[in-house]
Amino acid sequence: MNQPLRDEMDFRALVGDVKPLPPSNRAAPSSNRKKPSEAQLARRESAAEELGSQNFLSDDFVDLRPPFDPIEFRREGIQQGVVDKLRHGGYSVQAQLHMLRRPLSECRRMLFPFIQDAYANDLRSVLIVHGRGREIDSPANVLRSYLAKWLSQFEEVQAYVSAQPSEGGLGATWVMLRKSDRAKANNRERQQKRRG
């Protein structure tokens, strides 16, 4: 007896006498969906307003960056070696945000909690995929230009650079976040244990 036939027989022995469900015994996914209550709608609106009021990212005028020029930023005190290692994919991707073909206002709303959450969870290197247009005023290039402006508005962002071609090229940006106070304290504790 060959192996597939033996496996089929073992499966039937385990399952026993099984019969398919009749066609009428199926869930109707679109029937009677309840609309949200007034209280639920009010809570949603309140949460959106609260998050929106915290979002300091500016959607004012931005200088459009040439579509074929890489973007790069580093805060004072950040070594060039760190930026070079970031550019060449020397850090692992700890989180990704995909903003391809999304409206600018939605990207602004997505980026703010993404950076805040990454920092709160002690992530250091994240990749943002945004796309790149061929024309200076293409939607992807407009987003890329705003992204460069927005990332520099975050105190948590130490540096950012355009990715390598294998990681999305000019259509993706590596971001290095600073260590949180909690991560710094954990580092100090580990260093003291090694010395002691």
Side-chain angles (χ1 to χ4, degrees):
M1 184 180 307
N2 65 17
Q3 185 64 35
L5 186 56
R6 188 174 21 244
D7 290 346
E8 178 71 22
M9 290 174 58
D10 290 342
F11 177 75
R12 286 179 191 239
L14 288 172
V15 175
D17 190 24
V18 177
K19 296 178 184 162
L21 292 173
S24 62
N25 192 6
R26 303 211 187 262
S30 62
S31 66
N32 279 347
R33 279 189 76 184
K34 291 184 179 179
K35 293 186 177 183
S37 69
E38 290 295 321
Q40 288 172 321
L41 290 173
R43 282 195 299 273
R44 284 183 195 168
E45 188 175 320
S46 174
E49 284 176 12
E50 183 179 328
L51 186 59
S53 68
Q54 294 173 355
N55 191 340
F56 52 76
L57 301 177
S58 168
D59 56 2
D60 292 342
F61 175 80
V62 68
D63 288 321
L64 295 178
R65 295 179 174 252
F68 296 101
D69 289 355
I71 59 175
E72 181 176 320
F73 167 84
R74 71 180 167 120
R75 295 214 183 273
E76 180 131 355
I78 302 303
Q79 297 175 355
Q80 185 61 43
V82 171
V83 175
D84 292 342
K85 186 175 178 181
L86 186 63
R87 177 184 298 108
H88 296 294
Y91 298 99
S92 62
V93 178
Q94 295 177 309
Q96 284 188 19
L97 176 63
H98 291 269
M99 301 192 305
L100 289 170
R101 294 184 275 290
R102 295 187 187 269
L104 192 63
S105 59
E106 183 180 344
C107 292
R108 179 180 171 269
R109 284 192 309 269
M110 291 168 64
L111 181 64
F112 186 80
F114 175 76
I115 296 294
Q116 298 291 317
D117 291 346
Y119 177 72
N121 288 292
D122 295 327
L123 303 184
R124 298 292 315 281
S125 55
V126 297
L127 185 65
I128 300 174
V129 180
H130 44 78
R132 176 189 60 87
R134 295 191 180 279
E135 303 297 323
I136 195 161
D137 60 348
S138 67
N141 197 57
V142 170
L143 171 58
R144 185 173 168 266
S145 299
Y146 269 101
L147 181 67
K149 176 183 178 180
W150 291 337
L151 287 172
S152 61
Q153 292 176 342
F154 284 97
E155 289 181 16
E156 297 86 356
V157 172
Q158 288 186 319
Y160 62 80
V161 293
S162 293
Q164 292 294 304
S166 62
E167 299 159 330
L170 298 177
T173 300
W174 275 102
V175 180
M176 174 64 71
L177 301 174
R178 68 180 167 87
K179 283 185 181 176
S180 68
D181 292 336
R182 180 178 58 239
K184 287 178 188 176
N186 289 342
N187 243 9
R188 279 192 298 273
E189 189 176 313
R190 274 195 303 265
Q191 294 297 328
Q192 288 174 352
K193 285 181 182 178
R194 285 185 200 161
R195 289 184 201 141

